Amino acid sequence: MSLVQPYSLFTDFDISLFKNGSHYNLFDKFGAHTVTIDGVKGTYFSVWAPTAKSVSVIGNFNFWQGNQHELLVRWDSSGIWEGFIPNVTHGELYKYRIESHNNGIITEKADPYGRLCEIPPKTASVVQDTSTYQWNDTAWMSYRKNKNSLDKPFSVYEVHIESWKKKEGYKNLSFRELATELVNYVAEMNFTHVEFMPIMEYPYSPSWGYQLTGYYAPSARFGTPDDLKYLIDEFHKNDIGVIVDWVPSHFPEDAHGLGYFDGSNLYEHPDPRKGYHQDWKSLIFNYGRNEVKAFLISNAVFWMQEFHVDALRVDAVASMLYLDYSRKDGEWEPNIYGGRENLEAIQFIKDFNTELYTRFEGIQTIAEESTAFTGVTTPTQLGGLGFGMKWMMGWMHDTLDYFSKDTIYRKHHHNEITFSLAYAFSENFMLPLSHDEVVYGKKSLIYRMPGDEWQRFANLRTLYGYMFTHPGTKLLFQGAEFGQTEEWNFQQSLDWHLLEFDPHKKMKAFVSDINKLYKTEPALYEKAFSPEGFEWIELNDAESSVLSYIRKGHNTENDLVIVCNLTPTIRKKYKIGVNSSKNLKEIFNSDLKKYHGSGIKNDNIIKVSKKGWHFKKYAALITLPPLSVVVFKHE
């Protein structure tokens, strides 16, 4: 006989919204919620399992036996099982034991809406009381729209929490410990945002967090949900935005996860041509199923509402958009119009972006999308997907390829480094030097640079200088800021001991300073996504491998003149055209000795001549240090 009592958090209206896929606060209804009924404390459980013959809650409180706490199925064909279990309270372990009508298969599943899981490799969910965390970021939330908008500086430090830094014994830092160490570091480095690779619960560390089993649960490796709130709070108190990687593109086949949840293809598409990802050996959500769409969009809402997250970076968008993604002929089926686009996934993405931008002021969504799909950052009301930004993968590949070449050959590849400006304003682009570029034999960024040690560091500073003065927002992966030499290893800490050595210490200082330059010069961010914010001075000086351009903001008095010398040759009296008759002053130079450079600079005010050059009204003669980026401003 079941010890479960009838009880429900669902209204008829909730059920209607759930069925038609437009209930985006499902986390308030589904899962485990501690409540008190008639003076008795306990937990209300609810789970969606439409093909189940029976659903029981199992845990230590019933010796993991499935015959004591059978949930009650609703009468309304919603497929929801629910009920109240007395005396099951905060901290109890539980799973759902589900017997399928289809074939009698019995599964034991973690709660899809569970707020906390056991520390992997254990797999049970953990009952959580309603959070009483008192946020202290009221100021940040009130002016977030002014810090997080598309005409403000947006420089992101990408972090993998397991490997950023380890304690003695190679233990992970907790959310609470990171609230001191990581927050202080990101503030010191002058980044405007931090981005966490997935921090939802994942069973397998080599997946780097991209194979999720607990979409609503911060990973217990690092602490509790309130511990994570404290970490985000501390970032906000330091005026640093928080971005979280979000993975709606696929999920793993682990027995306790979402796959084959109630003995049927519940969350995954039943057709393996749409429901199985061959590259990642994982399952693909059924975006055309209303209840699945509501599960995912509710999850996005959850992270922004409950954790005050400022942006979601959406993983592997290209794999969602195309039915033939990484598939051969015969392994995919065209859509109803004969095309390769996944129409259901596209509609899901539009609904996701519409809901978030409507509901939350000052947030952003960022697409990791590697194809030429049009309108990724066009608003949904204009027919686009509705993302705020998109990773500029073409810039990343072309730039790293160019900088890996010996400087003597760069003049033959000059178009590779200028090509990005041909399409730089077709989307709202973020320039990423991400974790994907320092693994699997690609080498660390510093070791992808050619030349001796001095030239490697000079090249890397030049790459960063070019990146931070190029239109678009910025992202650097952990370790890139001080010239990490080894490839990223998810199992171990960054090589912090390298900061004992001058080149690495000064590289760190350089990144901190160029972040500061980026944050304080409006010309570098106010028109980051508009062709009005960029003007070439000279893009065709391939023989010298020199680039020169002007960055512009709302006020012409803030215009910056930027010159990149991409070889070790010092160029004196290099002539550039400028738009203003006012004299120039050097305000930033990547070759300074404090950055481990040679110390060549433009000491004096640079006179501007009225004899024009480069189709500009005026001209100036400047000195270009070796392998450098120099930034000038008119007096």
Side-chain angles (χ1 to χ4, degrees):
M1 184 172 121
S2 176
L3 300 176
V4 175
Q5 299 176 11
Y7 183 78
S8 183
L9 292 178
F10 287 92
T11 65
D12 290 343
F13 187 54
D14 288 323
I15 298 300
S16 175
L17 292 176
F18 176 56
K19 285 182 176 180
N20 67 32
S22 55
H23 196 315
Y24 300 144
N25 273 67
L26 291 177
F27 48 88
D28 288 333
K29 307 294 179 176
F30 278 113
H33 299 268
T34 56
V35 293
T36 300
I37 300 177
D38 296 331
V40 178
K41 292 182 178 180
T43 299
Y44 164 78
F45 294 91
S46 60
V47 64
W48 179 50
T51 70
K53 182 178 180 181
S54 68
V55 178
S56 300
V57 182
I58 57 175
N60 289 331
F61 50 89
N62 59 20
F63 305 101
W64 300 94
Q65 298 301 307
N67 56 359
Q68 294 188 45
H69 294 97
E70 291 187 7
L71 296 180
L72 310 171
V73 66
R74 290 182 63 90
W75 54 271
D76 51 20
S77 73
S78 62
I80 297 171
W81 298 73
E82 60 184 348
F84 171 75
I85 304 179
N87 304 316
V88 172
T89 55
H90 178 82
E92 290 278 9
L93 304 179
Y94 72 99
K95 282 186 180 181
Y96 295 116
R97 181 186 183 277
I98 304 173
E99 181 182 2
S100 174
H101 254 307
N102 287 348
N103 43 32
I105 287 178
I106 294 175
T107 58
E108 293 185 359
K109 295 291 188 177
D111 191 342
Y113 292 86
R115 304 292 181 95
L116 184 66
C117 302
E118 287 185 287
I119 298 175
K122 296 181 179 180
T123 58
S125 299
V126 185
V127 174
Q128 294 291 286
D129 280 336
T130 301
S131 175
T132 57
Y133 184 81
Q134 297 296 310
W135 286 92
N136 296 291
D137 63 350
T138 304
W140 167 267
M141 296 299 282
S142 68
Y143 59 66
R144 175 172 68 177
K145 62 181 181 294
N146 298 321
K147 291 279 188 177
N148 213 37
S149 61
L150 297 178
D151 62 348
K152 295 295 188 291
F154 215 97
S155 176
V156 181
Y157 186 56
E158 185 189 27
V159 174
H160 178 255
I161 290 181
E162 276 198 85
S163 62
W164 181 70
K165 186 181 285 187
K166 297 281 192 182
K167 295 186 288 188
E168 290 184 15
Y170 300 99
K171 294 179 179 179
N172 295 320
L173 290 177
S174 69
F175 289 136
R176 294 270 174 177
E177 290 166 327
L178 290 163
T180 299
E181 292 206 37
L182 181 59
V183 171
N184 289 345
Y185 185 76
V186 175
E188 174 196 350
M189 295 304 298
N190 286 310
F191 287 98
T192 65
H193 292 72
V194 67
E195 178 179 323
F196 294 127
M197 292 168 66
I199 53 175
M200 302 81 175
E201 194 59 80
Y202 53 99
Y204 187 53
S205 287
S207 77
W208 309 339
Y210 289 100
Q211 299 280 7
L212 302 178
T213 50
Y215 273 77
Y216 288 81
S219 179
R221 294 169 175 84
F222 315 112
T224 68
D226 281 0
D227 291 338
L228 176 57
K229 291 178 181 180
Y230 178 76
L231 170 59
I232 294 171
D233 219 351
E234 290 300 302
F235 273 116
H236 287 170
K237 285 158 65 177
N238 284 270
D239 271 0
I240 297 166
V242 177
I243 306 167
V244 170
D245 273 14
W246 190 56
V247 191
S249 50
H250 59 95
F251 59 94
E253 296 181 280
D254 294 60
H256 68 288
L258 297 177
Y260 214 60
F261 189 80
D262 62 352
S264 71
N265 300 113
L266 190 61
Y267 287 92
E268 67 272 25
H269 200 287
D271 184 344
R273 293 174 297 182
K274 296 181 180 180
Y276 187 73
H277 205 301
Q278 300 170 91
D279 287 355
W280 302 320
K281 305 294 185 240
S282 55
L283 302 170
I284 301 171
F285 284 103
N286 185 352
Y287 304 107
R289 191 162 193 171
N290 287 339
E291 297 89 344
V292 173
K293 185 183 79 167
F295 167 83
L296 286 170
I297 296 179
S298 289
N299 186 244
V301 168
F302 174 79
W303 285 98
M304 290 191 162
Q305 178 174 303
E306 296 295 310
F307 288 91
H308 292 196
V309 166
D310 305 297
L312 293 178
R313 178 265 194 187
V314 183
D315 182 61
V317 172
S319 73
M320 300 167 65
L321 296 177
Y322 295 105
L323 296 165
D324 64 344
Y325 182 87
S326 196
R327 295 180 189 273
K328 300 174 183 177
D329 289 344
E331 294 178 348
W332 63 282
E333 183 180 40
N335 63 37
I336 57 174
Y337 303 110
R340 52 195 283 257
E341 296 80 12
N342 188 331
L343 303 179
E344 294 170 339
I346 290 169
Q347 188 59 53
F348 157 72
I349 290 170
K350 290 181 177 182
D351 291 345
F352 150 78
N353 278 316
T354 298
E355 181 65 20
L356 293 193
Y357 279 103
T358 300
R359 187 183 290 211
F360 301 103
E361 186 177 41
I363 58 92
Q364 296 292 344
T365 62
I366 305 164
E368 187 216 9
E369 203 285 305
S370 55
T371 74
F373 191 94
T374 57
V376 173
T377 57
T378 299
T380 54
Q381 60 267 31
L382 299 178
L385 294 182
F387 285 99
M389 285 174 266
K390 167 183 170 171
W391 277 19
M392 197 176 189
M393 312 294 275
W395 172 88
M396 177 187 69
H397 291 303
D398 289 347
T399 300
L400 289 176
D401 184 62
Y402 177 88
F403 272 89
S404 69
K405 298 184 189 307
D406 193 291
T407 55
I408 197 172
Y409 302 119
R410 287 180 177 173
K411 63 183 179 182
H412 304 298
H413 300 272
H414 196 68
N415 64 313
E416 290 181 23
I417 202 67
T418 61
F419 178 65
S420 61
L421 271 302
Y423 64 96
F425 307 108
S426 60
E427 300 278 5
N428 298 338
F429 281 119
M430 174 177 280
L431 313 183
L433 293 175
S434 72
H435 63 275
D436 281 324
E437 302 315 305
V438 290
V439 290
Y440 297 144
K442 293 179 182 177
K443 300 180 182 178
S444 63
L445 292 183
I446 189 69
Y447 279 169
R448 292 173 77 159
M449 302 295 108
D452 58 21
E453 183 188 70
W454 187 91
Q455 287 199 29
R456 285 183 189 273
F457 279 92
N459 266 303
L460 194 58
R461 292 194 305 273
T462 305
L463 166 57
Y464 292 163
Y466 165 66
M467 172 186 183
F468 273 80
T469 56
H470 187 290
T473 53
K474 329 295 175 188
L475 179 142
L476 279 181
F477 181 55
Q478 62 184 34
E481 76 278 10
F482 61 78
Q484 167 87 10
T485 52
E486 296 298 319
E487 275 194 347
W488 172 50
N489 183 340
F490 71 92
Q491 294 177 304
Q492 64 188 44
S493 170
L494 295 178
D495 292 331
W496 294 102
H497 65 275
L498 291 175
L499 291 173
E500 298 171 13
F501 301 98
D502 215 39
H504 297 278
K505 182 179 180 180
K506 291 181 175 180
M507 175 63 75
K508 176 173 172 278
F510 170 79
V511 171
S512 177
D513 282 359
I514 202 167
N515 263 325
K516 186 175 182 180
L517 175 79
Y518 172 60
K519 292 198 302 185
T520 54
E521 290 296 336
L524 293 177
Y525 59 79
E526 285 183 340
K527 295 182 177 179
F529 306 119
S530 168
E532 296 177 354
F534 180 89
E535 180 182 345
W536 281 114
I537 295 174
E538 175 60 273
L539 77 158
N540 293 316
D541 190 2
E543 188 61 33
S544 299
S545 295
V546 172
L547 301 177
S548 52
Y549 45 90
I550 300 169
R551 290 299 310 278
K552 305 174 182 180
H554 299 315
N555 187 336
T556 57
E557 292 184 0
N558 292 326
D559 287 1
L560 299 179
V561 173
I562 294 124
V563 188
C564 307
N565 182 10
L566 304 173
T567 73
T569 303
I570 301 169
R571 303 191 184 279
K572 297 183 177 180
K573 296 185 178 181
Y574 186 86
K575 193 173 184 179
I576 58 170
V578 292
N579 291 330
S580 173
S581 61
K582 296 179 180 178
N583 291 334
L584 288 174
K585 181 181 180 181
E586 178 183 293
I587 65 168
F588 190 84
N589 183 335
S590 68
D591 189 52
L592 297 182
K593 288 186 176 180
K594 68 176 181 175
Y595 303 140
H596 194 60
S598 63
I600 295 173
K601 55 186 177 179
N602 296 267
D603 283 318
N604 302 316
I605 298 299
I606 299 164
K607 299 290 184 181
V608 170
S609 166
K610 293 184 178 180
K611 295 181 180 180
W613 193 249
H614 290 143
F615 303 101
K616 314 292 183 194
K617 286 186 178 181
Y618 310 97
L621 296 176
I622 60 175
T623 296
L624 292 183
L627 286 171
S628 65
V629 173
V630 187
V631 181
F632 302 92
K633 198 171 188 177
H634 291 282
E635 283 197 301

